[in-house]
């Protein structure tokens, strides 16, 4: 984990080693259903492609959540304690927290917590000119790593009973039920007994709207998905031919989730760091899940993490919800 610092002294360490990346890749590609962890999407190019996705016509998620924030940030800020620290796991570009910060002048410390150096840098570049007085303590690391989150609570400004954990973007939806509960339990510890957790969730909606959101006409989502293979080529000495894979978004009814896959167009063998991986024609690599919730299913999920759902804010189409939670 990198050291907590103010923005002016920010020095960032790479916390995910190539060794860990290689282990995760080989482990995922040697399962019966081949898979790759979505946390590796966000290298330099992946981060830039994700920013393009957020502006796509089909990708309603970002503009809908931003519209909710524009409308209700003041109201949300008035509910929160005046003086607290904020941590934002998976902060991305930092554009969403800016709406809340505009109504919160007494924030002690803001901790953007990212796995991607590029995303962390985007957020710093966006926020520091907007809030020159704000103490920003960037953290490069993996929020799915419970040991890292526990260390974070012990060692940092977040060792307090009044924090806000802000988790927008429907990032929680990337995890299966058990992992989502574990992540939210860690957030419950991070926020402290008098603190809050604010989570953005994507709601169940018409299947075609969902399928289109993850398979846009311009092919930006396809490029984002395939970039994971390019990253393996670049960083792990891989031999993927990207033209031999097709991007697919699928709706899994049983789990209420969109799945992204990369489908092999032919029988082929790929070599990664001297290890051969065989693909049959039509075989897929499962690269991402994006679970969709109802308010009731999310309330039940949160309860299993000892969090109670206090209030929600939604858009007019009921596509997306911002959910405020407190420790039970
Ligand atoms: C779907 S994007 C959401 C970005 C932003 N929160 C938003 O709402 O637009 C997910 C973000 O989480 C980061 N991320 C993904 N997995 C992570 C992990 N395990 N630990 C820390 N950050 C992670 C990615 O780099 C990316 O910036």
């Amino acid at each position: 984990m990198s050291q907590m610092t103010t923005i002016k002294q920010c020095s960032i360490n790479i916390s995910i080693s190539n060794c860990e990346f290689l282990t995760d890749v080989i482990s995922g590609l040697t399962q019966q259903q081949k898979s790759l962890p979505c946390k590796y999407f966000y290298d330099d190019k992946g981060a830039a492609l994700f920013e393009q996705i957020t502006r796509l016509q089909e990708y309603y998620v970002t503009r809908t959540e931003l519209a909710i924030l524009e409308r209700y940030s003041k109201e949300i800020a008035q509910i929160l304690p005046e003086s607290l620290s904020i941590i934002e796991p998976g902060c991305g570009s930092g554009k969403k927290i800016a709406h809340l910060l505009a109504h919160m002048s007494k924030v002690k410390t803001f901790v953007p917590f990212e796995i991607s150096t590029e995303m962390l840098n985007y957020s710093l570049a966006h926020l520091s000119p907007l809030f020159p007085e704000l103490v920003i303590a960037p953290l490069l690391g993996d929020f799915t790593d419970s040991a890292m989150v526990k260390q974070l609570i012990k060692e940092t400004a977040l060792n307090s009973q009044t924090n806000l954990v802000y988790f927008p973007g429907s990032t929680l939806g990337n995890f299966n039920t058990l992992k989502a509960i574990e992540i939210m339990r860690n957030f419950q510890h991070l926020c402290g007994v008098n603190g809050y957790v604010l989570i953005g969730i994507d709601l169940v909606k018409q299947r075609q709207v969902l399928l289109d959101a993850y398979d846009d006409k311009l092919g930006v989502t396809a490029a984002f998905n395939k970039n994971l293979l390019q990253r393996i080529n670049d960083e792990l000495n891989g031999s993927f031919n990207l033209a031999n894979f097709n991007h697919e978004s699928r709706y899994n009814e049983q789990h209420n989730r969109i799945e992204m896959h990369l489908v092999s167009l032919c029988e082929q063998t790929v070599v990664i760091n001297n290890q051969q991986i065989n693909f049959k024609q039509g075989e897929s690599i499962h690269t991402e899940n994006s679970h969709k919730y109802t308010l009731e299913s999310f309330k039940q999920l949160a309860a299993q993490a000892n969090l109670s759902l206090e209030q929600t804010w939604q858009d007019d189409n009921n596509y997306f919800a911002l959910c405020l939670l407190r420790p039970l």
Side-chain angles (χ1 to χ4, degrees):
M1 192 168 10
S2 64
Q3 290 298 305
M4 298 274 298
T5 72
T6 66
I7 183 171
K8 288 158 197 90
Q9 301 156 336
C10 170
S11 81
I12 296 167
N13 303 318
I14 299 295
S15 61
I16 304 292
S17 67
N18 266 14
C19 179
E20 189 179 341
F21 184 24
L22 179 65
T23 308
D24 287 348
V25 165
I26 298 298
S27 154
L29 294 181
T30 48
Q31 307 294 317
Q32 196 178 5
Q33 167 60 67
K34 292 181 169 61
S35 65
L36 289 169
C38 62
K39 67 182 180 185
Y40 294 113
F41 274 134
Y42 301 88
D43 66 350
D44 204 354
K45 185 144 180 241
L49 284 165
F50 181 73
E51 280 307 292
Q52 283 185 44
I53 289 174
T54 64
R55 293 191 287 272
L56 289 169
Q57 196 267 327
E58 293 95 333
Y59 195 74
Y60 60 86
V61 181
T62 306
R63 67 170 173 276
T64 306
E65 190 175 20
L66 281 170
I68 298 171
L69 283 165
E70 273 159 27
R71 199 153 154 190
Y72 297 113
S73 279
K74 190 169 175 194
E75 184 181 325
I76 296 169
Q78 281 167 352
I79 296 173
L80 299 170
E82 265 210 316
S83 169
L84 42 54
S85 290
I86 302 178
I87 179 162
E88 186 178 359
C91 63
S93 65
K95 285 187 191 130
K96 290 179 185 163
I97 191 66
H99 288 271
L100 283 174
L101 287 172
H103 300 285
M104 299 175 77
S105 57
K106 296 195 176 151
V107 170
K108 289 195 241 166
T109 310
F110 173 60
V111 183
F113 182 7
E114 254 298 331
I115 202 164
S116 155
T117 318
E118 289 75 19
M119 282 300 195
L120 205 50
N121 287 337
Y122 273 176
S123 71
L124 296 176
H126 182 66
L127 293 171
S128 55
L130 287 178
F131 305 100
E133 301 302 316
L134 180 68
V135 177
I136 303 181
L139 189 73
L140 189 73
D142 182 347
F143 66 69
T144 64
D145 179 342
S146 291
M148 185 178 277
V149 175
K150 285 196 182 105
Q151 200 184 332
L152 175 66
I153 298 173
K154 262 201 228 143
E155 289 180 5
T156 68
L158 299 165
N159 189 6
S160 142
Q161 299 305 333
T162 317
N163 300 311
L164 170 68
V165 179
Y166 179 48
F167 198 47
S170 189
T171 305
L172 186 74
N174 292 152
F175 303 96
N176 66 27
T177 303
L178 281 182
K179 193 67 189 175
I181 293 169
E182 182 189 325
I183 288 170
M184 282 198 286
R185 278 211 183 116
N186 288 333
F187 291 173
Q188 191 252 11
H189 292 304
L190 257 182
C191 79
V193 287
N194 301 317
Y196 289 83
V197 179
L198 183 63
I199 300 186
I201 56 163
D202 199 14
L203 298 171
V204 172
K205 58 184 66 60
Q206 303 94 304
R207 191 189 162 106
Q208 198 57 48
V209 174
L210 290 170
L211 286 168
D212 290 349
Y214 294 83
D215 193 6
D216 62 280
K217 285 198 190 79
L218 293 175
V220 184
T221 315
F224 173 74
N225 200 7
K226 284 187 179 192
N227 182 57
L228 192 46
L229 305 184
Q230 187 60 51
R231 184 174 183 183
I232 294 171
N233 286 351
D234 296 344
E235 296 181 27
L236 302 178
N237 200 18
S239 71
F240 280 106
N241 179 348
L242 274 57
N244 286 344
F245 288 85
N246 242 2
H247 163 76
E248 256 185 48
S249 78
R250 301 176 183 169
Y251 192 69
N252 182 324
E253 301 275 354
Q254 193 195 346
H255 295 289
N256 276 333
R257 71 185 184 207
I258 283 282
E259 296 179 358
M260 293 210 307
H261 290 258
L262 289 165
V263 182
S264 175
L265 294 173
C266 55
E267 193 171 317
Q268 56 182 317
T269 298
V270 172
V271 180
I272 301 167
N273 197 38
N274 297 325
Q275 178 147 351
Q276 290 196 347
I277 309 283
N278 298 319
F279 288 87
K280 298 189 193 94
Q281 183 175 5
E283 188 178 5
S284 81
I285 310 173
H286 184 178
T287 51
E288 191 182 62
N289 286 322
S290 190
H291 289 85
K292 309 301 163 188
Y293 305 98
T294 62
L295 289 180
E296 190 50 38
S297 71
F298 179 68
K299 188 177 170 181
Q300 286 173 17
L301 190 72
Q304 292 182 72
N306 297 325
L307 286 166
S308 92
L309 183 57
E310 300 280 298
Q311 201 163 335
T312 61
W313 294 269
Q314 285 164 247
D315 58 297
D316 293 338
N317 292 323
N318 292 329
Y319 271 11
F320 199 91
L322 258 188
C323 302
L324 189 66
L325 305 127
R326 298 208 73 181
L328 273 171

